[in-house]
Amino acid sequence: MKSLYVDRRQLREIIKELKKWSAPATVLLSLYIPPGRPVSDVLNMLRQELSITDNIKLKKTRSAVQRALKAAIERLSKIPKIPENGLALFCGEDMDTGDFICLMFVPPEKVPVYFYRTDKHFHTEFLEEMVIENNLVGLIIIERDAATLGLLKGSRLEILKEIEDYIPGKHHRGGQSQRRFDRIIEQMVHDFYKRVGERAKEKFLPLLEQGKLKAILIGGPAYSKYDFIEGDYLDYRLKQLVLPRLIDVSYQGEVGLREMIMKASDLLKEQEYVDALKAVEEFKLHLAKDDGMIIYGEEDVKRALEMSAIKTLIIDEDRPDAHQWAELAKKHGAKPVFLSDDVPEGAWIKKTFGGLVGILRYRIY
């Protein structure tokens, strides 16, 4: 039963695979069984569905539906009890090639509905909500005339909004004119911070209400970040999530967000993106030194893993065998780190090294 359980990363791959399947007729079977539902009830329902398939006029369609139902019945018959998170089951035939798929698994969250349908596509909508990360970190880079809002989702970095305004520099004429000009500038900065706070509320509050936003990291140059926080421009509910240290950041946009994340790595220990950034930087450093402390090529990587010589295994999350490599890494004491396209140099590692490289504990050649 344990082998039926999948994590979010595996589920993401399963959804991707299921979405590739389509049919000219309603022959693709989707079945969701919530916890607590007796297996016998579901089997009876499937057998009843099978008994009426003789009414399907087109022989090819009838055969495909029957094949899907029989496979589902066979799989489900081996389960004594529905697991605590429920079950998801997908069976179907490609009517053009005769290829067949039948997947049954326990998702990482509880199945919310009892749902059965044969259709021209697999119904993955109840699974898709489960792959959305539940440990999100909001990111804000703020200065007096520019801001970037972003989101850290596991191993992925997303830019939500970039905001700019024109605010003139200091006036140097002196006297009343200078004081009046300074007040105008001060008001413009206040209005800009207020606008950033409103955008932050718009982007982050729904995630907080869904229980997905766990923290907010704020950075920026000089005193702008302190002025933004102390001026109460951020909604009080979001302000409670602000991490205790504000980060000095030199840039806006994606470059600035990456800089802020790296500087706050001690505050973001549980984020996969931080692990990936650090691992890639270490790999590049050893590559530049040519010190024999990295390894690549599937056969060499596997051999090094079996020797327990690999400290960190960097894996392209889009590799079809990503999960198998991660399990092999754990078995031999290596830390698996998944690489998404959002990680700088991620595409380069995928293209140059096939998306599989290791950082060694010691030289082996």
Side-chain angles (χ1 to χ4, degrees):
M1 180 74 78
K2 189 177 179 182
S3 62
L4 291 176
Y5 285 78
V6 301
D7 58 27
R8 281 187 173 79
R9 193 173 300 279
Q10 291 169 286
L11 183 59
R12 196 177 289 122
E13 293 305 310
I14 289 171
I15 292 170
K16 193 184 296 182
E17 175 61 29
L18 291 173
K19 282 182 170 291
K20 295 177 184 176
W21 288 73
S22 62
T26 56
V27 300
L28 301 179
L29 182 154
S30 303
L31 175 63
Y32 292 86
I33 312 169
R37 175 79 59 162
V39 175
S40 57
D41 286 0
V42 185
L43 283 171
N44 287 337
M45 181 273 294
L46 291 175
R47 288 179 181 128
Q48 285 177 351
E49 288 292 319
L50 182 59
S51 70
I52 62 174
T53 55
D54 287 334
N55 298 325
I56 300 173
K57 293 179 181 179
L58 293 175
K59 183 180 177 181
K60 199 171 181 182
T61 302
R62 181 171 65 248
S63 173
V65 173
Q66 288 175 345
R67 187 181 181 188
L69 281 163
K70 287 175 182 177
I73 291 168
E74 183 197 357
R75 295 290 180 95
L76 202 55
S77 297
K78 297 175 182 177
I79 302 296
K81 181 183 177 183
I82 302 300
E84 59 183 12
N85 274 6
L87 274 175
L89 201 159
F90 302 88
C91 297
E93 178 183 318
D94 184 321
M95 295 176 69
D96 294 326
T97 64
D99 292 340
F100 190 74
I101 187 173
C102 196
L103 300 175
M104 183 173 73
F105 55 89
V106 181
E109 294 181 17
K110 287 186 178 181
V111 172
V113 293
Y114 181 50
F115 178 92
Y116 163 77
R117 188 165 300 170
T118 53
D119 211 332
K120 294 180 179 180
H121 62 276
F122 288 121
H123 285 266
T124 59
E125 57 267 31
F126 302 111
L127 299 175
E128 287 171 32
E129 193 65 26
M130 297 181 190
V131 299
I132 299 173
E133 297 288 342
N134 288 315
N135 190 25
L136 306 180
V137 177
L139 307 169
I140 302 175
I141 300 176
I142 182 76
E143 53 187 301
R144 66 202 297 270
D145 57 359
T148 303
L149 305 183
L151 203 58
L152 194 52
K153 314 158 103 174
S155 64
R156 298 179 178 275
L157 173 64
E158 180 182 348
I159 294 179
L160 299 178
K161 187 77 176 174
E162 293 186 77
I163 310 167
E164 288 185 13
D165 203 347
Y166 171 71
I167 296 176
K170 291 209 171 210
H171 185 62
H172 298 292
R173 291 184 182 175
Q176 247 182 346
S177 176
Q178 179 180 335
R179 287 193 293 274
R180 184 170 63 252
F181 199 75
D182 286 346
R183 283 196 300 271
I184 291 171
I185 292 174
E186 190 177 315
Q187 182 62 44
M188 292 174 74
V189 173
H190 166 79
D191 291 343
F192 180 73
Y193 287 167
K194 188 176 177 182
R195 183 150 64 98
V196 173
E198 289 168 354
R199 294 291 82 76
K201 180 179 177 181
E202 175 188 298
K203 298 292 184 183
F204 295 142
L205 197 56
L207 298 173
L208 174 61
E209 290 170 345
Q210 293 165 26
K212 293 174 181 174
L213 188 71
K214 303 303 181 186
I216 294 177
L217 181 64
I218 294 181
Y223 297 103
S224 298
K225 52 189 176 292
Y226 298 103
D227 294 340
F228 180 70
I229 284 296
E230 291 165 8
D232 286 330
Y233 297 102
L234 199 60
D235 182 280
Y236 73 95
R237 291 161 291 186
L238 297 177
K239 197 171 181 181
Q240 292 171 356
L241 296 183
V242 174
L243 292 168
R245 193 170 83 242
L246 304 185
I247 311 299
D248 289 325
V249 181
S250 309
Y251 304 97
Q252 290 286 342
E254 185 178 346
V255 173
L257 291 178
R258 290 205 305 263
E259 179 190 1
M260 182 165 69
I261 290 165
M262 284 299 289
K263 286 184 174 180
S265 59
D266 58 323
L267 300 175
L268 302 170
K269 288 177 183 174
E270 296 183 3
Q271 287 295 322
E272 296 174 38
Y273 188 83
V274 175
D275 285 344
L277 279 178
K278 286 183 173 180
V280 169
E281 286 303 312
E282 187 176 355
F283 175 80
K284 285 166 55 186
L285 181 64
H286 288 305
L287 184 66
K289 286 182 176 180
D290 193 21
D291 57 9
M293 291 298 290
I294 58 172
I295 196 160
Y296 44 86
E298 289 191 16
E299 289 185 12
D300 288 342
V301 167
K302 187 177 181 183
R303 195 177 305 116
L305 280 172
E306 290 168 349
M307 294 167 61
S308 297
I310 293 183
K311 175 179 71 171
T312 305
L313 185 66
I314 303 173
I315 311 162
D316 169 16
E317 68 175 13
D318 292 327
R319 282 182 67 109
D321 57 359
H323 180 68
Q324 288 93 317
W325 280 108
E327 290 302 308
L328 191 62
K330 291 175 189 174
K331 180 181 176 182
H332 294 287
K335 179 181 179 180
V337 173
F338 288 99
L339 199 62
S340 73
D341 290 333
D342 297 323
V343 177
E345 281 85 37
W348 165 69
I349 287 180
K350 292 179 184 185
K351 184 177 179 181
T352 309
F353 303 101
L356 186 72
V357 297
I359 300 170
L360 298 171
R361 302 179 195 277
Y362 51 85
R363 292 181 62 170
I364 58 176
Y365 296 116

